[in-house]
Structure formats: structure tokens, C-alpha cells
Amino acid sequence: MRGVSVFIPIYNEEKVLKRNVSVVVDELKKYNLPFEVVIVDDNSKDSSFEVAKELSKNKAIKIIKYENGPSRRENLAKSFETAEYDIIAFMDSDLAVDLSYLKWLIEEIKDYDLVTGSRYLKESKIKRTLFRMVVSFLYNRFIRFYFNSKIKDHQCGFKSFKKEIILDLVKDLGYDYQNKRGWFWDTELLIRAQKKGYKILEFPVNWVHGAKSTFNIKREIKMIPYLLKLKFK
């Protein structure tokens, strides 16, 4: 069915969930397109689920709650099969990307298989700590070299897809029950999409580092063996 399903993964977001989801819904109402907002609760330990239930009194808002997690992106990916509409998009719950780009994300997918925001194109404007900027720069340079990727930003959590495309890619990715993949999920998705010849648009965004981040370099460094082996699969 023509429309857009916007997925928002959450983990312990009780303080900002109501405000941020409401902002997304208000933005989507401006477009002449049916929509749903799907909150994917990745086993939150705070009152996020209760907040989400209150939000779901609006019929355009749905909740999927998982009892395992946090899984990074694994449960989010599993949730895509529930999408009602033919365009699937997702964004991080901190709304780090300026929401004015949401319309672009939805409109441009008609000519592409996958559309992704990028913090590292010339026109992009970003605000983040120097440490995170350096880590991200080195990571993206390595991915482009090691996998021959043409993408500038492999980790931006602001993407849209044709439904059949993302379901195909999720099938290829599989579900990482051992959580070895970690935050590498976004990168692997883009690598596999390029290998399959899907048409990808990467566009510049304004991005501000959220006050809260679940990124932990000591934890995520554990994904390196998985990353290195992927090239030979």
C-alpha cells in the first residue's frame, strides 16, 4: 500500500520519547501521504513502554516490544516485516538529524532503492565531540578501503527503503543472536546493498550529537573479528 512506515528504535528513552515521537508525527502530517510510526522497544528497563502505550492511543502510532535486548539493530530489522506501507524509513530516537530532511528521505526513494543521510558530504553540517569525529572518520575510511565501499557515512541512523528491498537485505543479514555484529549492522546493510547493485542515494544532512548515546568504543571493538571475516563471506 502506498504510504510510509517510520520505525523508531528505542532503549530507555522515557525522558524524550513523548516529545520526539510527537514531533515526528506532526512532521508526517504535513505530507499528503498515509503513514504509521512504529516504536520498537528494544527491551527498555525504564518506563519507555508505558510512555509508548500512551502514545499509541493515536492510531497512527504502533508499538513492538522485545524481551531480549538491547540488540542494537537486530530487533529493529526484524520489525520491518510488520510494515503496512511500501516505503520503510527509520531514524534514531534522539532525532539527531534535522527533521526537515524527512520529506527528502521519503520523496527521493521513488527513484532509488535505498536513501541514506550522510554527515560527511561537503554540504553536511554536524556537531559532535572531537573524539567521536576522529573515531568515525577513521572507521569510515577503513570501511571504504577494506570493502571498496563508495559510501561516505556508514553509520547515519536516517534511512529509507523500498519495502521489498529492505526485506531482501534483512534476509541476507540474518539475525545475529550472539550480538557479535553490534553497531556494524548499518555498515553491513550498506555493503550488502552495494554488492547487490541496489541504487543508493546518499544526501547531506544537518546532524547534532544527542545528549545521550549508547555507543561504547570498548564494547563495539568486539565486532572487529566479525567485520574482518565478512569480506570473505
Side-chain angles (χ1 to χ4, degrees):
M1 184 184 299
R2 178 65 179 170
V4 60
S5 297
V6 177
F7 287 77
I8 302 178
I10 66 167
Y11 180 73
N12 294 347
E13 300 290 348
E14 61 180 6
K15 294 182 179 179
V16 300
L17 184 60
K18 182 176 181 180
R19 179 186 72 236
N20 289 1
V21 170
S22 298
V23 168
V24 173
V25 170
D26 287 344
E27 182 66 25
L28 287 165
K29 285 179 180 178
K30 299 176 184 178
Y31 315 149
N32 186 26
L33 192 69
F35 71 88
E36 63 176 347
V37 173
V38 184
I39 301 169
V40 182
D41 188 338
D42 208 13
N43 196 25
S44 292
K45 304 302 183 184
D46 63 2
S47 63
S48 292
F49 182 63
E50 285 67 33
V51 176
K53 283 198 296 184
E54 185 68 22
L55 286 166
S56 69
K57 290 179 180 179
N58 180 336
K59 293 183 178 180
I61 301 174
K62 300 177 181 178
I63 317 167
I64 300 175
K65 180 172 175 57
Y66 290 90
E67 300 300 330
N68 64 312
S71 68
R72 308 301 182 268
R73 299 296 201 199
E74 306 300 326
N75 286 333
L76 170 65
K78 186 177 180 180
S79 301
F80 291 152
E81 63 188 25
T82 70
E84 182 176 349
Y85 298 110
D86 61 349
I87 299 171
I88 292 180
F90 75 82
M91 64 183 66
D92 291 331
S93 58
D94 61 0
L95 304 188
V97 175
D98 189 323
L99 266 190
S100 63
Y101 293 99
L102 181 55
K103 188 175 184 180
W104 179 281
L105 196 70
I106 295 169
E107 289 183 346
E108 291 300 315
I109 197 64
K110 66 180 182 296
D111 296 320
Y112 295 88
D113 297 312
L114 189 164
V115 176
T116 180
S118 177
R119 296 161 294 183
Y120 303 123
L121 296 175
K122 285 184 178 180
E123 302 87 347
S124 303
K125 296 179 181 179
I126 66 172
K127 292 182 180 180
R128 72 187 320 179
T129 64
L130 179 61
F131 173 73
R132 288 290 299 274
M133 190 175 295
V134 170
V135 169
S136 183
F137 173 79
L138 294 174
Y139 174 80
N140 280 287
R141 285 293 296 269
F142 172 75
I143 295 298
R144 288 198 293 274
F145 167 76
Y146 190 67
F147 291 102
N148 194 31
S149 173
K150 306 304 179 186
I151 301 295
K152 296 291 186 182
D153 185 357
H154 296 86
Q155 293 296 114
C156 185
F158 195 72
K159 294 179 172 67
S160 67
F161 317 83
K162 289 184 171 69
K163 184 177 180 178
E164 66 273 16
I165 300 300
I166 186 57
L167 293 184
D168 177 56
L169 289 169
V170 167
K171 182 179 178 181
D172 285 352
L173 282 157
Y175 190 102
D176 179 16
Y177 290 96
Q178 296 179 319
N179 289 323
K180 292 181 178 180
R181 181 158 43 205
W183 282 125
F184 185 64
W185 185 92
D186 291 76
T187 301
E188 184 175 346
L189 177 82
L190 291 169
I191 291 169
R192 289 183 179 274
Q194 290 175 86
K195 293 293 183 183
K196 300 193 84 165
Y198 287 138
K199 193 175 181 182
I200 301 172
L201 171 67
E202 188 176 15
F203 70 96
V205 295
N206 292 350
W207 185 91
V208 178
H209 182 255
K212 173 188 173 186
S213 174
T214 58
F215 177 83
N216 182 305
I217 192 167
K218 291 182 179 179
R219 181 185 62 215
E220 300 308 331
I221 204 168
K222 295 177 182 179
M223 75 182 180
I224 290 177
Y226 178 92
L227 182 160
L228 295 174
K229 290 178 182 178
L230 179 65
K231 183 175 181 178
F232 305 102
K233 289 185 179 180

